[in-house]
Amino acid sequence: QVQLVESGGGLVQPGGSLRLSCAASEGTFGSYTMGWFRQAPGKEREWVVGMTWSGGTAYNVESVKGRFTISRDNAKSTVYLHMNNLKPEDTAIYYCAIRAASSPSPRSHDYESWGQGTQVTVSE
């Protein structure tokens, strides 16, 4: 089973930026579809964005379009979430997930492995 390790979360002021990283242990990372989810306090986990092995992207959360960008480096088995112009409502635990399929899915149970999560807090 692929193991995922996330990093890059932290405390940032509104309008600031962060880059989250998710490193996979599996050497065949390049054939997987990746997804980023987030879970805010008291809310259900929601799918934010996904990327196919070939670089196709899909964004679920309207509020992050134009501010968040997903990218991947298959040579490093790593996927990134670049977050700009952060807002307090972006505060959540962010999770990366992986699925052995050709397209992203908004459903958590469609993903085979998950990272441990990284906290992002946007506050003055």
Side-chain angles (χ1 to χ4, degrees):
Q1 187 177 11
V2 178
Q3 294 188 349
L4 304 174
V5 178
E6 297 147 0
S7 60
L11 173 64
V12 63
Q13 292 184 337
S17 299
L18 284 174
R19 187 186 75 167
L20 306 183
S21 300
C22 174
S25 63
E26 176 59 53
T28 57
F29 172 82
S31 63
Y32 290 101
T33 289
M34 303 299 299
W36 283 99
F37 289 73
R38 67 184 182 183
Q39 188 166 17
K43 295 186 177 180
E44 294 186 352
R45 188 173 299 187
E46 66 174 351
W47 173 57
V48 177
V49 61
M51 175 173 269
T52 67
W53 67 269
S54 61
T57 59
Y59 292 84
N60 179 50
V61 180
E62 188 69 25
S63 65
V64 308
K65 292 179 180 179
R67 299 189 299 120
F68 289 12
T69 303
I70 186 173
S71 65
R72 64 191 293 166
D73 185 336
N74 289 339
K76 295 182 178 180
S77 296
T78 301
V79 64
Y80 304 96
L81 184 63
H82 309 263
M83 304 185 294
N84 298 314
N85 190 22
L86 282 160
K87 303 176 180 181
E89 53 264 40
D90 295 319
T91 295
I93 299 175
Y94 284 73
Y95 300 88
C96 66
I98 195 167
R99 67 187 300 243
S102 60
S103 62
S105 169
R107 297 184 296 268
S108 299
H109 62 260
D110 285 339
Y111 291 79
E112 286 86 24
S113 295
W114 291 79
Q116 80 284 2
T118 186
Q119 176 70 49
V120 171
T121 302
V122 185
S123 179
E124 295 286 356

